[in-house]
Amino acid sequence: MPENPLGDRLALVRGKMTQQQFAQRLGVSRNTLVRYEKGDRIPDATFLAQVISEFGIDANWLLLGVGEPPAPKLTPREAALLDNYRNSPAEEQRSLETMCALLAKRGGDEETEAGRNKKAG
């Protein structure tokens, strides 16, 4: 199977959206999108411009693979955590960083208190 970097980048932009959802949002059929992602068909300029505009993607990255891929959008909970961090004094930010690092090291090895409480309830 030949390499298809543009199709791979389109799939990365699509993220967790289904092909159907992504295609509908961009006004193409799912089959057309599948062909773009597989490299069976090259998207036209109108479609590419719409992806760039709709998702705020850097054109150089989408077309040429130059630069950084788009960062995934934050969920509302993630955005709230980031906002809390940014609005905390420097000392509290360091405490949050330490706590997050410790929690990340635990990973999936241990249940969190919230997880235990959820199962008990």
Side-chain angles (χ1 to χ4, degrees):
M1 178 181 223
E3 285 189 36
N4 180 28
L6 177 58
D8 293 343
R9 289 189 293 275
L10 284 171
L12 188 63
V13 172
R14 179 168 55 83
K16 293 183 180 182
M17 266 189 271
T18 66
Q19 288 175 325
Q20 183 66 39
Q21 291 167 331
F22 191 71
Q24 282 179 336
R25 186 164 172 182
L26 294 166
V28 297
S29 73
R30 180 185 167 279
N31 288 337
T32 297
L33 178 64
V34 168
R35 289 186 191 111
Y36 291 163
E37 288 186 3
K38 288 171 83 176
D40 294 341
R41 186 169 169 198
I42 297 172
D44 63 23
T46 303
F47 176 82
L48 294 170
Q50 191 170 357
V51 171
I52 290 164
S53 174
E54 183 78 18
F55 294 93
I57 303 302
D58 176 54
N60 284 328
W61 176 81
L62 181 62
L63 299 173
L64 306 172
V66 175
E68 294 294 318
K73 286 190 175 185
L74 298 176
T75 66
R77 289 177 66 189
E78 291 168 333
L81 286 169
L82 182 57
D83 187 56
N84 287 339
Y85 174 83
R86 288 180 174 165
N87 290 300
S88 295
E91 187 175 322
E92 281 74 13
Q93 286 179 347
R94 285 189 294 277
S95 295
L96 286 168
E97 291 164 3
T98 301
M99 182 177 64
C100 288
L102 290 170
L103 290 171
K105 283 183 184 176
R106 278 184 25 180
D109 295 339
E110 298 178 25
E111 288 185 71
T112 63
E113 187 67 28
R116 284 190 295 272
N117 290 339
K118 195 176 202 180
K119 286 182 182 177

